[in-house]
Amino acid sequence: MNATYRQIKRRYAVGLMSGTSVDGIDAAVVEIMETPGDRLRVRLVAFENRPYPAEAREEIFALFDPREATIDRVGHLNVWLGELYAEAALSAIAAAGLKPGDISVIGSHGQTILHAPEVRREGGYELRFTVQIGEGAVIAARCGIPCVTDFRAADMAAGGQGAPLVPFTEYLLYREEERTLLLQNIGGIGNMTVLPAGCAPDQVIAFDTGPGNMLIDGLVSRLYPGKNMDAGGGIARRGRVDPELLQWLQQEDYYRLPPPKSTGRELFGSAYVDKLLAVMRERGLSAEDAIATVTYLTAWSIGDAYRRFVRSRHPADEMLVGGGGSYNPVLLDFLRREMEPMGVNVRTQEEAGHNSDAKEAVAFALLADLAMAGRPGNLPSVTGARRPVVLGKISY
């Protein structure tokens, strides 16, 4: 099957992504070309974002709380999301002017409801686990296309963190011979990929830098009923960064942990926002000042990660910023204030001719293609896994 799949030198794949911000389903249709030297070339053909129905989004947020995530509710949401992902895939395929029969594979990251990469020892075993839902069998059945899901589990079984996974595709698509690049995604969580000039796969560095939009969105949803994000940074622009609150936030131990490392809503979710609100009220801060401060925290955490773990070994030429945070001009101004004194030019994916929204969905289309070909899709130097492994589970 693997050799036969790879004989198709020009093929189409769909990638589906829903991140920690739960703002919707990203669906990308890509053309994948096999080129000489076993390289892949990827072209974005169509991209759509479909917001979650309000009731589905509410249920996802409810199940982030393990006390609410009963087996029946998780099982129900798993197949419900499968139906929604299938609709998103079919819509994107139509937007590309293609038919389901033209598509070789769908790759769906699924919706993470719990990620626990830290080792727990039980009965002499080292146990790690992660939970992404959105049933691949449903997607495959509705679309009539093989679907690859549950990408993190194989890496974790090999001793890795199961994240970040996008860096392998970034290595394939972005590396340069003469320049060192930083690829910074700012979704709910921020994650950085370091591509040293002319690097080999085992020289790529990548890790989660900390909260991206998660604390910003969390505060906005609590302080401005009916809103779930600071659109265009308008609220932060009216505030000022509070030094004492910023200093309190900077004490979080995660920032000092060396890579490989990953984080998520388990650390920076609603319980963290509760603590943040308590400190904010104790200091008598306005909503605008609090949101300006956590916006700066995101920029600081990215700059701190570069200073602490990257700069001395791999001084970078440029940072390309993608994800929802790249549309927040206040956050980008803060990020430039952090990075440009260190000689790192900051540009968005759009400024470099790419698509910020589609980047991760494109990555999971490519990871699914690699899985169907039986090719590894992780970077052990990034995730901490003992070896390269084929990622994902296939529903035919």
Side-chain angles (χ1 to χ4, degrees):
M1 184 276 292
N2 299 345
T4 301
Y5 185 86
R6 293 188 62 188
Q7 286 172 4
I8 308 169
K9 296 300 183 183
R10 174 177 176 270
R11 52 193 181 260
Y12 293 99
V14 174
L16 302 172
M17 177 67 194
S18 174
T20 48
S21 295
V22 198
D23 48 5
I25 305 164
D26 293 334
V29 180
V30 300
E31 180 188 53
I32 299 172
M33 296 285 290
E34 295 267 0
T35 63
D38 213 28
R39 295 285 297 273
L40 296 176
R41 189 173 76 240
V42 176
R43 179 176 69 89
L44 180 64
V45 180
F47 174 76
E48 292 186 342
N49 174 273
R50 291 168 68 93
Y52 277 121
E55 58 272 23
R57 191 170 191 269
E58 290 170 8
E59 183 70 354
I60 293 168
F61 274 99
L63 300 195
F64 287 146
D65 182 348
R67 295 168 298 183
E68 299 292 327
T70 56
I71 293 173
D72 59 329
R73 291 181 74 178
V74 173
H76 177 262
L77 186 59
N78 180 47
V79 293
W80 185 5
L81 293 184
E83 299 284 1
L84 295 175
Y85 293 161
E87 289 178 359
L90 291 170
S91 177
I93 292 166
L98 299 170
K99 302 183 296 295
D102 298 322
I103 307 298
S104 297
V105 66
I106 297 171
S108 177
H109 173 267
Q111 180 64 58
T112 300
I113 58 172
L114 186 63
H115 182 58
E118 301 81 13
V119 171
R120 300 183 186 184
R121 290 177 171 81
E122 192 77 40
Y125 301 104
E126 292 187 352
L127 306 179
R128 299 172 171 85
F129 70 96
T130 188
V131 182
Q132 284 77 47
I133 59 174
E135 181 54 57
V138 172
I139 301 170
R142 300 296 174 267
C143 299
I145 302 166
C147 182
V148 184
T149 55
D150 208 9
F151 289 89
R152 295 184 181 186
D155 183 84
M156 296 178 82
Q161 294 256 321
L165 297 181
V166 171
F168 185 67
T169 65
E170 292 173 324
Y171 166 78
L172 292 175
L173 301 177
Y174 286 86
R175 74 187 187 278
E176 297 184 10
E177 290 300 317
E178 304 296 332
R179 295 196 308 161
T180 292
L181 298 181
L182 306 175
L183 300 179
Q184 181 68 43
N185 184 66
I186 307 178
I189 294 295
N191 35 71
M192 178 186 292
T193 299
V194 184
L195 298 175
C199 64
D202 61 1
Q203 296 173 309
V204 176
I205 300 167
F207 55 94
D208 288 350
T209 52
N213 301 313
M214 187 171 288
L215 295 182
I216 303 168
D217 294 350
L219 278 185
V220 169
S221 64
R222 301 285 191 91
L223 298 171
Y224 295 87
K227 291 188 175 184
N228 54 33
M229 61 182 294
D230 182 15
I235 300 172
R237 186 178 288 108
R238 298 194 298 271
R240 66 175 185 84
V241 176
D242 181 77
E244 291 188 28
L245 177 60
L246 179 63
Q247 186 177 40
W248 178 81
L249 289 163
Q250 290 169 337
Q251 302 313 305
E252 170 56 52
D253 290 340
Y254 180 80
Y255 303 124
R256 291 179 286 280
L257 291 176
K261 62 178 181 175
S262 58
T263 189
R265 196 170 292 278
E266 299 73 34
L267 176 56
F268 293 109
S270 59
Y272 204 96
V273 174
D274 289 340
K275 293 188 292 184
L276 177 52
L277 285 168
V279 174
M280 167 195 156
R281 286 162 181 153
E282 181 181 304
R283 289 194 42 73
L285 296 180
S286 69
E288 289 86 354
D289 288 353
I291 290 165
T293 304
V294 294
T295 301
Y296 192 84
L297 175 77
T298 292
W300 170 84
S301 67
I302 294 166
D304 180 69
Y306 175 69
R307 282 187 294 271
R308 194 185 295 268
F309 303 120
V310 179
R311 186 183 185 189
S312 63
R313 288 183 293 164
H314 302 294
D317 298 283
E318 185 165 83
M319 171 180 280
L320 294 180
V321 185
S326 68
Y327 299 113
N328 183 331
V330 176
L331 176 52
L332 283 177
D333 286 346
F334 286 157
L335 187 55
R336 291 187 175 102
R337 188 184 305 179
E338 285 285 321
M339 300 304 299
E340 290 183 351
M342 294 186 283
V344 182
N345 183 46
V346 175
R347 289 200 297 164
T348 64
Q349 288 276 342
E350 277 73 15
E351 288 170 335
H354 303 291
N355 185 308
S356 293
D357 287 334
K359 179 170 170 284
E360 289 189 293
V362 168
F364 282 96
L366 183 52
L367 287 174
D369 184 79
L370 293 170
M372 294 295 288
R375 298 169 68 175
N378 66 331
L379 289 174
S381 62
V382 167
T383 66
R386 291 183 291 272
R387 61 185 183 279
V389 292
V390 178
L391 302 179
K393 301 173 183 177
I394 302 172
S395 298
Y396 288 99

